[in-house]
Amino acid sequence: MINGLLGRNWNEVKPELERMGKPYAFQISRPHGKMEAWGSCRVIRVREFDDRVEVVLAYEKFSPRQPKTP
C-alpha cells in the first residue's frame, strides 16, 4: 500500500495514513537557489518502519523568484 502513495496529492494521502493508525512524520522539500515553490504538495518518498511512516513532499510547481521592489 505504501508504494501506491508516490506521486499523489498530500491532501489525498494524509487521511489514508491516519487510517493506518501508525504515527507519521512529513518533511517538505524546497528548491535551492532562486526558485520559488508553489501549488499543492505531492508525495515523492515514503519510508515505512515497524513503528512509524516517514513521508517527503515536494511542491508540484516551481518558478523563478521575483526580486523585491523597493
Side-chain angles (χ1 to χ4, degrees), residues 27-37 62-65:
Q27 174 183 353
I28 299 175
S29 176
R30 300 188 185 275
H32 298 285
K34 297 182 179 184
M35 296 297 287
E36 186 172 347
F62 300 93
S63 59
R65 185 169 296 175

Side-chain angles (χ1 to χ4, degrees), residues 3-26:
N3 290 334
L5 303 178
L6 293 176
R8 292 180 50 201
N9 191 312
W10 174 241
N11 294 332
E12 298 171 1
V13 171
K14 185 177 176 185
E16 291 183 31
L17 289 174
E18 291 171 351
R19 279 193 297 271
M20 285 178 58
K22 277 187 181 180
Y24 64 89
F26 66 92

Side-chain angles (χ1 to χ4, degrees), residues 30-57:
R30 300 188 185 275
H32 298 285
K34 297 182 179 184
M35 296 297 287
E36 186 172 347
W38 54 285
S40 62
C41 287
R42 300 265 177 194
V43 176
I44 60 170
R45 184 168 149 196
V46 179
R47 293 175 65 191
E48 184 174 18
F49 298 95
D50 293 335
D51 60 340
R52 70 187 185 284
V53 177
E54 294 179 355
V55 180
V56 178
L57 308 172

